[in-house]
Each structure stands twice: as C-alpha cells, then as structure tokens.
Amino acid sequence: MLKVAWSNVYAHPLPEGHRFPMEKYSLLPEQLLYEGTLTEGNFFTPGSIDERWLLNTHHRDYLDRLERLELSRAEIRAIGFPLTAELVHREKVIANGSVRAAVYALQDGVGMNIAGGTHHAFSDRGEGFCLLNDIAITANYLLENQLVRRVLVVDMDVHQGNGTAEIFRGRTDVFTFSMHGEKNFPHRKEKSHLDIGLSDGTGDREYLCALTANLPKILEVFEPDFLIYQCGVDVLASDQLGRLQLSQNGLKERDETVLTLAKNNRIPVMCCMGGGYSKRIKDIIEGHAHVFRLAQSLYF
Ligand SMILES: [Zn+2]
C-alpha cells in the first residue's frame, strides 16, 4: 500500500497577509481522499526528527540558533517565513516525513511526503521558505544507516536546488541533478553535479526533451540505488514565480517519465512536493495530484 507522510502541522497557519500558499498542505490530501486516489489508510503521521539525523546535514551552530529562535533579521528575511517555534517544529516533522517515506520506498518501491523538497536550505542557513533540507537529511540518513549506497536527487522544481547542491558538493555517493529556470531565483546559482538551466518560456516539448536526454544517462553512469524526486509544480505556465510554460499534461508526463524510469530500473523513489505558486490554488493541487495518481497506478 502506498505510504504518504502527512501531519496537520504541515499546514500551520501563517500571519495574516503572508502570501505563501500554506493551505495546499491541507487541500491536497483532501482532494486525494475525495477523488479516491488515497484512503485514510495510505497516510502516516511523522513525529519530530531526532536531532542526530539533522547533524549529518546541518551545522550544530545553525541548529542551535534555530532552536533558540536566534537567527539574525537578515537570515530570517532570506527565509521568508516568520521565525517561530511552531514553524521550526513543522520543518522537523516534514524532514522526518521524508525520511520515513524513503524507508517505506525501500520496501514498496515508492513513498511520498505531502510537503518537503526544501532544497534552498544550506548546511548553515535557510533561504526561500526552507529552514532544513529534508532531501539532504533523507539522503544522509539512508547512506549513514547503510540502507543504500548511491542516492540520486532529481530536482525538477523551477528553482535551482542550491542548498542541496552546496551540501553535497564534492560527494561521490550523492548525485544532484537540478533542472530549473535559468533566470529564476536563486540568482546566484550553486553548482550541482548536473544543472540544466532552461530559458524563459520553455514549454512541454523542450522541457521533456531535456529530461529524457539527461535522466536515463545519469542512471546509466551513476547507477543510483535510491532516487529522491523533488516534484515542484512551479514549472506550470500558471505559476506566478516560475518563468516556464508547462501545461498540466506536460507536468503529468514529467512525473510519469521520472517514476517509470525509476520503476523500470528498480530504483526506489521518495517523492517530496516542492514549490507551486499558481494564482488559483486549484492549479497547484491538480499539479501535485498527478504524482500520487501515477504512483498508485504504476506501483499498486
Ligand atoms: Zn520552487
């Protein structure tokens, strides 16, 4: 049975006037239940993560200051969320959701987290709505516990996975692949193992060509035994932050390409959600729903 991490702290309300679409974390599971893609039995509730698994990825000093809510104003501004104990707790639960979904994936082939993909968190700082890097925490957890030997991060969010790239710079047991809008945030890019920066207005055909030209090659050369898929939906044409022009069909085909390649190569995959900032919340939910429907139809 498909296992999906979700906790009510995922949708922790933000102060009035904050524009981050936090409600997607409650509307997405509601939609998936309503349409029958998931039942209550698919969900599990992660608790907070043990600090030792954060220390594999983040500096002790940063974690301590985060815990004491002592980041500087500039650091908080870079994150874009107010710094509260609830939001720090929320990210620890999300990180644990990704870790536990990954462990389920080892058994079932696929596991999901209805949040996460917080790829702008660096080893020593947060950025762009990300405090802790759940992708890196998960990869390090799997490797440290010798559950896998080589992890491939496929980051398809419209924004470059800069934090993940920094954390895994020079590592040979993790390969970071980021396909993003070249002119999108972050303006100063980090170096992933492979970056594909797409020009403004890139549509379905060109996008899918870039994916199918690169992903099979990476699988062949790197031979990962685990895949972490950051399936952000801010590549949609309707997105207010993204500069690409994907349709819902293109997005669905992207998810299908990644999941099918993982399945055919017998590589377990953990999917975490990433960004989505379309004006209509319906477009965001529909965008994220594809990957759950596909996981159900391909694996179960
Ligand atoms: Zn994004």
Side-chain angles (χ1 to χ4, degrees), residues 243-259:
R243 304 173 75 101
L244 306 187
Q245 291 285 327
L246 263 74
S247 69
Q248 289 285 356
N249 267 334
L251 192 59
K252 188 172 146 200
E253 217 174 301
R254 175 194 79 174
D255 291 346
E256 195 164 9
T257 303
V258 176
L259 289 190

Side-chain angles (χ1 to χ4, degrees), residues 209-228:
C209 275
L211 177 61
T212 50
N214 287 286
L215 186 52
K217 245 192 301 187
I218 299 170
L219 297 181
E220 207 181 300
V221 175
F222 181 64
E223 294 184 345
D225 53 6
F226 199 87
L227 199 155
I228 296 178

Side-chain angles (χ1 to χ4, degrees), residues 38-70:
L38 301 178
T39 64
E40 295 286 353
N42 290 111
F43 292 99
F44 69 93
T45 312
S48 188
I49 195 165
D50 192 303
E51 197 191 37
R52 64 187 282 216
W53 305 121
L54 299 179
L55 283 164
N56 288 337
T57 297
H58 295 286
H59 293 186
R60 146 113 16 227
D61 171 66
Y62 172 60
L63 293 174
D64 286 348
R65 290 189 304 116
L66 203 54
E67 202 60 45
R68 295 197 303 262
L69 307 177
E70 281 177 3

Side-chain angles (χ1 to χ4, degrees), residues 119 157-159 234 275 277:
H119 58 170
D157 193 278
V158 83
H159 304 105
D234 41 15
Y277 312 95

Side-chain angles (χ1 to χ4, degrees), residues 41-251:
N42 290 111
F43 292 99
F44 69 93
T45 312
S48 188
I49 195 165
D50 192 303
E51 197 191 37
R52 64 187 282 216
W53 305 121
L54 299 179
L55 283 164
N56 288 337
T57 297
H58 295 286
H59 293 186
R60 146 113 16 227
D61 171 66
Y62 172 60
L63 293 174
D64 286 348
R65 290 189 304 116
L66 203 54
E67 202 60 45
R68 295 197 303 262
L69 307 177
E70 281 177 3
L71 300 187
S72 71
R73 272 161 74 172
E75 285 175 305
I76 297 171
R77 202 174 324 115
I79 289 167
F81 278 157
L83 184 62
T84 64
E86 289 77 15
L87 286 169
V88 174
H89 174 67
R90 171 181 180 270
E91 293 247 347
K92 288 198 213 165
V93 174
I94 289 174
N96 200 26
S98 288
V99 166
R100 291 193 51 203
V103 173
Y104 277 119
L106 291 172
Q107 169 195 303
D108 301 328
V110 64
M112 330 277 288
N113 191 358
I114 293 212
T118 46
H119 58 170
H120 300 309
F122 289 72
S123 54
D124 63 350
R125 67 183 190 277
E127 197 177 278
F129 308 128
C130 304
L131 298 166
L132 300 170
N133 193 313
D134 68 305
I135 295 172
I137 291 164
T138 301
N140 281 327
Y141 177 94
L142 295 172
L143 291 162
E144 175 126 331
N145 287 293
Q146 297 179 327
L147 298 171
V148 304
R149 284 177 302 157
R150 278 183 301 280
V151 179
L152 170 62
V153 178
V154 176
D155 188 333
M156 303 297 286
D157 193 278
V158 83
H159 304 105
Q160 193 212 23
N162 56 347
T164 320
E166 180 262 342
I167 290 165
F168 292 124
R169 189 189 298 144
R171 284 269 292 264
T172 54
D173 52 354
V174 178
F175 189 104
T176 53
F177 170 41
S178 178
M179 216 166 96
H180 47 262
E182 185 58 32
K183 292 212 172 123
N184 265 113
F185 171 91
H187 298 297
R188 224 195 77 219
K189 308 271 189 292
E190 294 290 323
K191 203 169 158 23
S192 311
H193 291 86
L194 179 63
D195 286 299
I196 305 285
L198 301 164
S199 25
D200 287 3
T202 296
D204 293 348
R205 188 197 289 235
E206 204 185 323
Y207 184 91
L208 294 165
C209 275
L211 177 61
T212 50
N214 287 286
L215 186 52
K217 245 192 301 187
I218 299 170
L219 297 181
E220 207 181 300
V221 175
F222 181 64
E223 294 184 345
D225 53 6
F226 199 87
L227 199 155
I228 296 178
Y229 179 29
Q230 206 275 23
C231 44
V233 304
D234 41 15
V235 292
L236 281 173
S238 56
D239 198 87
Q240 299 175 98
L241 301 182
R243 304 173 75 101
L244 306 187
Q245 291 285 327
L246 263 74
S247 69
Q248 289 285 356
N249 267 334
L251 192 59

